[in-house]
Amino acid sequence: QLFSNVTGSPDDHGNCQCSVYLPDTTFPVQKAEHLQVIATMLSEKFERELSQVREYSKRIELYQQQILNITIRVEHMEKSSVSYTELDFQLLKVEISDLDRLVTQLKSTVVGSNVIVDQIYLEIRNLTILVSELESLDKNNILAIRRQIVSLQNRLKECEESRNKTTVPPYFPPGSCIHRGLLNVSQPYIVKLNWRGFSYKYGSWGRDYSPSNPEKEVYWVAPLNTDGRKLEYFRIYNSFDDLLLFKPMYESRITYGEGSGAALYNNSLYYHAYASNNIVKHDIKTNKMVLGKALPYAVTGNRFSYAGVSWQDIDFAVDESGLWVIYSTANSMGNIVISKLNETTLDVLNTWQTRQYRPSVSNAFMLCGVLYATRTMNTRQEEIFYMYDTSTGQEGRVSVVMDKKLDTIQSIDYNPTDQRLYVYNDGYLLRYDVTFQP
C-alpha cells in the first residue's frame, strides 16, 4: 500500500503536524549496487587467476614430459657404447636451455614457493651437468668419427670425380693390332630392318674389308629364307647411304647357301654351300661363283651349330689378318675349331682346336687373330665371355656385355676398317663401336 491517511493536530502557530512511522525494511539500493560492482570485479579476477593456474599446470606437465624424454635419452647415452657426435650434445643442450629459460619465467610469475616448479628447475640443472660430463668423456670418440667422416667424404669425392670424368678411348689406326684386345662395345645403333622384312629373322650383314683399299665402302645384306636355313638372295650396296635408301648396286640369287655364316672379304662373298661341307667363294664384281671346295673334317647337318641359331655349322669371319672359318669336327667332339683360310684357293693354312663347346655359345667373331665367343644372358643382353688367342694358343674368360634389341643374335661380323661389329638381330641390322685395351 503506497498511500495512507494520517491524523494530524495543529501546533501553537497553527501549523498541522503529523507523525509517520518508517520501518527498517526499506532496501538500500546504493549499497547493493556498490557491492555488486565489487563482486563482479572479484569474480573476474578469480577467473583470471584460475585460468593462469590451469595454464601453469599444463606447462608443468609439458615440462615434466620433456624432462622425462631428455632423461631417457641421456640414460641411453650413458649406457650405450655408441659414440655420439658433437651435434647430439648440442641439441640436448639447446633443449635443456629452453626448458631452463621457461621454468625461470614460470618461477617469476608464481607468487610464493611452488614445490613442483622448484623440483623441475633442480632436475634441469642436474641434466645440464650430466650432459656436459658425457660430452667431455666422448670427445675422443667424436674426433675419431670426424676423421672417419672426412675420409669417407674424400673417397666419395674421388668416386664422383672418377664417374664424371669423360675419358677418350685411345686411338688405334684401322687394320692395326697394337692394342691388347677387346675392352668394350658401345650401345647398339639400329640401322634398319633387313630388306626382305620382319619374317626373315636369320641372316648376316656387314661391310667389306679390302686390305688394298680399306676406305672403300661396300656392304652386303643376306637374309635367309623363312626356313632359317637357305641362303638364296643377297644384296650389295656401294655406300652406307645407299643401304639406308634401299638402293642396292644389285641383288643376286644363288642356289643355295646354308646358314647365317656368310662374310664379305676383298670383293668376294664366302658362304657355306647348302646340304654339304663345301665352302664357296662368290665374286661380287662379276656376280659369279668363283670356287667351291670341301672344308676338311667339318661336321655339318646342324649338329654343332650355335645355341639358339640353327644351321650355322660353318661360320666365316674376317679380321685384320684375313679370312677365317669357325666350325667343329668329329675329333673336336663339338668344341670350336678355328681355321685360317687362303682367300684365293680356300685351302686351310692353319688350324686351332679350342676347349669351348660350340653349341654352348650363341655366336663368335675374330678380331686381331683372337676368337671371341658370346652367350645369351637374357632377351636383351649378350655377354662376350670367351676368347682364344691363335698367336699364343691361350684361351681365357672375359666379360663384355652387349645390349641387343630382340631375343636372338644370328650373326656377328667384325670389320677392321671402321672397327665395328655388324650384328644381325632377329631381322634387324645393328652396329656396335669397339674400344680396345691400350
Side-chain angles (χ1 to χ4, degrees), residues 201-221:
K201 293 182 177 295
Y202 285 74
S204 61
W205 87 290
R207 178 179 174 177
D208 183 25
Y209 177 57
S210 177
S212 60
N213 189 12
E215 297 304 319
K216 184 180 180 182
E217 283 191 282
V218 177
Y219 294 86
W220 94 93
V221 181

Side-chain angles (χ1 to χ4, degrees), residues 231 254 256-258 261-263 269-282 289-300 312-317 323-327 339-349:
L231 171 60
I254 57 176
Y256 297 100
E258 182 173 281
L269 184 71
Y270 297 86
Y271 61 89
H272 173 208
Y274 183 77
S276 71
N277 65 344
N278 289 342
I279 52 178
V280 177
K281 178 181 180 179
H282 186 100
M289 188 184 83
V290 176
L291 180 65
K293 183 176 287 189
L295 180 63
Y297 311 111
V299 174
T300 57
Q312 200 168 341
D313 301 287
I314 295 176
D315 185 17
F316 287 92
L323 182 66
W324 303 79
V325 63
I326 304 165
Y327 58 106
S339 287
K340 184 73 186 308
L341 296 179
N342 182 309
E343 66 271 16
T344 304
T345 64
L346 298 183
D347 291 333
V348 173
L349 301 178

